[in-house]
């Protein structure tokens, strides 16, 4: 069976992604920072889908430790690993972050800096092998800065640009890089947030992620209609857009 590594495995989307891949007979490596949650998730997936599910303690904010942990694990796996799915995200609190540098740093490091440093290690591994895939979960929030979440959105915009450049770099090494831009998803990160609309289930998004990886797409919006919603939002002239409350 092929093996997939999921970074941020206990998030709402990641749990659904793990179940989706397990249902298609993929073995899983579940990476995250909560050992108890990881073990419960791994046991559930083993019992339900009869696949192997390992756990890996991994904190994206501990930069050096995260890089060395990944490197040693990748060296051990060798060619066993087919791909990596980055499901790490932290919405944070925009209002607090505007005056609290620690909250601002956590938003930026969780959604961009830590992700980039981890994916650099993974990209080098796959580039040497000349095979594999990297799937990064970005967000529609990165398509245009809005006053309600521009720190989160700017970090996701940076991640999307990084994945685009990585896709260009790794194309010649036969390594696929997929950017996924979900809209609103019914997870702990969005629970209780006001003014949400067209909220998708994690299971629907996970099916879309699996399909995008299998079909060889470069970038997908999930659900699909967010591509057209964001096209409209990006088309609003800046002189008008800056006056809106979004």
């Amino acid at each position: 069976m092929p093996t997939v590594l999921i970074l941020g495995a206990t998030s709402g989307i990641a749990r659904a992604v793990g179940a989706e891949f397990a249902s298609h007979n993929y073995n899983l490596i579940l990476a995250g920072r909560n050992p108890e949650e990881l073990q419960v998730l791994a046991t559930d997936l083993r019992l339900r889908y009869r696949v192997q599910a390992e756990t890996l303690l991994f904190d994206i904010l501990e930069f050096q430790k995260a890089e060395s942990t990944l490197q040693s694990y990748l060296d051990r796996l060798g060619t066993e690993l087919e791909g990596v799915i980055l499901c790490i995200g932290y919405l944070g609190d925009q209002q607090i972050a505007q005056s609290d540098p620690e909250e601002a740093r956590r938003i930026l490091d969780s959604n961009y800096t830590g992700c980039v440093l981890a994916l650099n290690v993974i990209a080098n591994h796959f580039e040497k092998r000349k095979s594999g895939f990297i799937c990064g979960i970005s967000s529609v929030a990165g398509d245009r800065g809005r006053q309600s979440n521009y720190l989160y959105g700017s970090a996701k915009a940076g991640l999307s640009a990084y994945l685009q450049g990585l896709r260009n770099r790794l194309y010649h090494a036969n390594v696929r890089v997929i950017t996924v831009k979900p809209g609103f998803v019914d997870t702990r990160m969005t629970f209780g947030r006001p003014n949400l609309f067209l909220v998708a289930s994690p299971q629907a998004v996970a099916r879309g992620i699996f399909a995008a990886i299998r079909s060889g797409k470069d970038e997908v919006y999930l659900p699909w209609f967010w591509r057209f919603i964001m096209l409209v939002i990006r088309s609003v002239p800046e002189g008008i857009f800056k006056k809106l409350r979004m």
Side-chain angles (χ1 to χ4, degrees), residues 11-14 184-192 196 199-202:
S11 72
I13 292 178
F184 299 127
V185 184
D186 185 15
T187 64
R188 285 179 293 185
M189 191 166 76
T190 59
F191 181 77
L196 300 186
V199 180
S201 71

Side-chain angles (χ1 to χ4, degrees), residues 106-127:
R106 186 180 176 194
I107 293 172
L108 297 173
D109 287 348
S110 297
N111 295 294
Y112 181 74
T113 309
C115 295
V116 166
L117 294 176
L119 291 182
N120 277 347
V121 175
I122 293 162
N124 292 338
H125 174 77
F126 285 144
E127 188 173 37

Side-chain angles (χ1 to χ4, degrees), residues 144-149 197 233 236 241 243-246:
R144 192 157 195 181
R146 297 178 296 121
Q147 64 176 317
S148 60
N149 66 354
F197 60 97
I233 290 175
V236 177
F241 190 82
K243 300 174 184 176
L244 302 177
R245 293 189 176 275
M246 299 182 69

